[in-house]
Amino acid sequence: MSDRNIKGIRALVTGATSGIGKAIAQAIAQRGGNVLATARRSERLIELAASSDGRIQWEAGDQTDATFREHLIASLNTRLGGLDLLVLAAGVGGIGRFETSPKESLESMLAIDLVAPAELARNAIATLRVGNRPGIVFIGSILGYQGFPLHAEYCAAKFALRGLANSIRLELQEDSIDVMLVSPGPTQSEFWNRLLHGSRPHWSRGLPMEASQVAEAVLRGLVKGQREVIPGFSNRWFVRASILFPRLLDRFIQKVSQS
Ligand SMILES: NC(=O)c1ccc[n+]([C@@H]2O[C@H](COP(=O)([O-])OP(=O)(O)OC[C@H]3O[C@@H](n4cnc5c(N)ncnc54)[C@H](OP(=O)(O)O)[C@@H]3O)[C@@H](O)[C@H]2O)c1
């Protein structure tokens, strides 16, 4: 990614009603950027906009709805005067053995965590192409690198999102649109309370990062022009171990997830 200034940037941020998306929207606005924030809960978007000195506007809707996605992208010229940065943070998880998980949850998770961000990115390319130092930020996960028991559908979505991000990064080079993949580890947010199915596993409770720390890492990555950001030392080691010592990490994960 090329170096960029956050001041004056025009950004669309999904998942802006809580956690990582909200923290990124706030961090961009605090540095003088202008944000169109979106998610489903309008009362939260209204609160977010009210606390932003006019830097955050909002549009409520479900990102799995193709008509809403098209409307959102079409509104960018009127709302922000264009688009420089698309941040795709909305997402959900689900916990449980794949064999016995509700059948609908695979489709729902792929629709929210993979298809919606992919289609928003596709729809936004033409607007980004005429933006200033344009970029797309995908919020993936360290579970986009490493399989994890009871997380098969989520891992499937995040592995696929990483493949998509890495592929369109190459395609969009000729348009000078940068693509940054952010892969957080366990983060304090509403994520664990709003799972599509199952309940929070014990291993996720130890020392998770704060959403604001993830947002700061994202902004640092944007300013420096990084193509990939893995916030947090232990999360970087987790990903490194998945590449260098896959069997060892598998054994460690089996132990941690069963203890
Ligand atoms: N928290 C973690 O431990 C962790 C770790 C690694 C990666 N991540 C990733 O980080 C991203 C953000 O998660 P988070 O931790 O910030 O979770 P969060 O606090 O639960 O936030 C999720 C956001 O997604 C929005 N959303 C969910 N379904 C939606 C839909 N159908 N249409 C529109 N918006 C929708 C929610 O808003 P509404 O409900 O208002 O629509 C909310 O704003 C996700 O992609 C997640 O996979 C999280």
Side-chain angles (χ1 to χ4, degrees), residues 80-216:
L80 296 177
L83 183 68
D84 307 314
L85 184 67
L86 173 62
V87 181
L88 297 156
V92 289
I95 312 280
R97 281 183 67 82
F98 183 63
E99 184 185 6
T100 47
S101 288
K103 282 213 170 65
E104 324 72 68
S105 68
L106 176 62
E107 264 181 43
S108 305
M109 209 169 305
L110 292 176
I112 299 168
D113 290 353
L114 174 65
V115 177
E119 293 302 342
L120 278 166
R122 194 199 322 249
N123 290 349
I125 289 170
T127 315
L128 282 167
R129 197 175 276 129
V130 291
N132 299 320
R133 297 219 163 165
I136 303 175
V137 177
F138 288 97
I139 306 293
S141 166
I142 57 171
L143 297 191
Y145 288 87
Q146 169 66 38
F148 212 96
L150 311 185
H151 290 69
E153 299 130 325
Y154 185 70
C155 285
K158 293 298 185 179
F159 267 74
L161 193 71
R162 184 160 70 94
L164 181 99
N166 287 345
S167 302
I168 65 172
R169 176 185 296 120
L170 301 176
E171 286 183 21
L172 295 180
Q173 261 171 12
E174 66 194 45
D175 299 294
S176 301
I177 300 173
D178 298 324
V179 174
M180 184 165 97
L181 175 67
V182 180
S183 301
T187 304
Q188 287 174 36
S189 74
E190 295 176 12
F191 182 85
W192 302 100
N193 307 324
R194 306 189 79 218
L195 298 167
L196 284 186
H197 64 96
S199 55
R200 182 172 190 159
H202 65 88
W203 61 262
S204 69
R205 294 173 200 267
L207 300 179
M209 292 187 81
E210 288 179 19
S212 58
Q213 292 176 294
V214 175
E216 286 309 317

Side-chain angles (χ1 to χ4, degrees), residues 213-226:
Q213 292 176 294
V214 175
E216 286 309 317
V218 170
L219 264 69
R220 273 197 305 278
L222 281 169
V223 169
K224 284 190 199 158
Q226 284 173 240

Side-chain angles (χ1 to χ4, degrees), residues 12 36-38 57-59 67-83 127:
L12 170 61
L36 181 58
T38 183
Q57 301 178 55
W58 61 275
E59 191 72 51
T67 311
F68 173 68
R69 291 195 299 261
E70 278 158 27
H71 158 76
L72 191 63
I73 300 300
S75 72
L76 285 165
N77 281 332
T78 326
R79 303 298 287 275
L80 296 177
L83 183 68
T127 315

